Amino acid sequence: MTLIGVLGQGAVGRAVSGRLTDCGFTVRAADRDDRRQVLDAEPDVLITALTRGDESLHQLSELEWVPGVVLDLTTQSPESAWRCARQAGALGTAYHGGGLTGGGRELALGQGVLLLGSPVDPDGPAGRVVSALGRAIGFPSAPEAAKAKLLHNWVLLVQQWSAALALGEAGPDGAGALVEVLAAGTAGRAVPEWSVVRDARGPARSTYLGRLAAKDLGEIARGLPALAEAGGPVLEVLTEALLAGAEQPYTQTLLNILDGTGNGPKEVL
């Protein structure tokens, strides 16, 4: 029986632990402060779902045994992903890092999308874990997967910020029609399912908190210099807004800036 260890018990780590347990895996899970109960079990596959790349590196540096596989779902910079891969290589373990799209809800349903470099062996223990969580998009290396994740987050945040501003401009009487117009002519996820549009109808449900989104923007600024230079004003505006609502869902923070006070109307639709 393959033993799975999960380090990190935020929304992603809890969802991973619950999903794998429901799928019949033996799971040992803990947050960083209680990591000994995971590490001492010496799991075959170690999954890290932490806040920053340097935390992943710290955990890898403290390992006293060599896990067969490390799946790192932490959002980090290409530089920290490279350092983690190098540390894992020194240990002799297979490292697959990059992050994921979606969040706890998707993982709990087995619909997560994991960005992993290098690609996992679909027939090996890590491949079976990934299949239970959703599907993987493979990259040649962890830094390339981490870069794709940061670019994904940039597009997500700018898109949702633009939607929040547009909803505010349309006002309560025109917001519904605006969503219908956008839905008729945009690509990708249907506009009514965009997080900020969904959360404009009532209590925000996103587990992507303002401080986490702001942290990811910081990673973008450090790890993607060309993009950061071109999009500097937007980065600055978004970071300031997200930090103002650090413990709120990022969608609520974006909607609350509509009146310029940080306490604007929540229900736009």
Side-chain angles (χ1 to χ4, degrees):
M1 177 67 69
T2 301
L3 177 62
I4 311 299
V6 180
L7 282 182
Q9 286 296 282
V12 169
R14 292 194 304 272
V16 167
S17 304
R19 173 65 180 176
L20 293 179
T21 299
D22 291 344
C23 289
F25 290 89
T26 301
V27 178
R28 298 286 183 272
D31 227 330
R32 287 159 294 180
D33 293 342
D34 300 316
R35 65 184 182 274
R36 293 308 328 170
Q37 61 182 291
V38 172
L39 302 182
D40 289 348
E42 299 188 1
D44 303 291
V45 177
L46 178 64
I47 300 174
T48 53
L50 303 170
T51 303
R52 299 185 304 276
D54 58 349
E55 293 177 305
S56 291
L57 182 64
H58 178 70
Q59 299 304 322
L60 289 171
S61 300
E62 287 201 338
L63 293 180
E64 297 173 357
W65 101 107
V66 180
V69 181
V70 173
L71 294 178
D72 192 350
L73 305 184
T74 306
T75 298
Q76 54 188 301
S77 69
E79 169 66 19
S80 64
W82 176 80
R83 293 171 63 198
C84 286
R86 184 179 64 174
Q87 177 64 29
L91 292 171
T93 190
Y95 177 84
H96 309 278
L100 74 156
T101 68
R105 283 186 293 273
E106 288 80 7
L107 288 169
L109 296 171
Q111 298 174 357
V113 179
L114 286 67
L115 314 184
L116 299 175
S118 59
V120 300
D121 176 4
D123 298 320
R128 292 191 288 274
V129 168
V130 170
S131 294
L133 296 175
R135 68 182 181 93
I137 299 175
F139 294 82
S141 68
E144 291 176 79
K147 181 178 180 179
K149 171 57 178 170
L150 291 183
L151 290 171
H152 164 273
N153 285 3
W154 168 254
V155 173
L156 167 72
L157 289 168
V158 172
Q159 175 202 68
Q160 302 295 313
W161 175 64
S162 299
L165 293 178
L167 289 169
E169 184 69 24
D173 295 334
L178 172 63
V179 170
E180 186 176 355
V181 170
L182 292 173
T186 58
R189 179 183 293 184
V191 173
E193 297 175 11
W194 287 8
S195 298
V196 76
V197 175
R198 178 201 66 208
D199 288 352
R201 299 189 181 99
R205 296 187 286 119
S206 177
T207 58
Y208 192 24
L209 302 182
R211 60 179 169 80
L212 299 177
K215 183 271 298 183
D216 290 347
L217 287 176
E219 297 284 14
I220 288 169
R222 287 186 292 273
L224 306 174
L227 186 152
E229 182 178 359
V234 176
L235 267 171
E236 184 177 344
V237 168
L238 280 173
T239 300
E240 182 179 354
L242 292 165
L243 287 175
E247 299 305 322
Q248 298 175 344
Y250 84 104
T251 48
Q252 180 176 335
T253 299
L254 295 180
L255 289 165
N256 283 349
I257 66 174
L258 297 179
D259 69 347
T261 68
N263 298 299
K266 258 297 286 112
E267 294 194 16
V268 178
L269 291 172

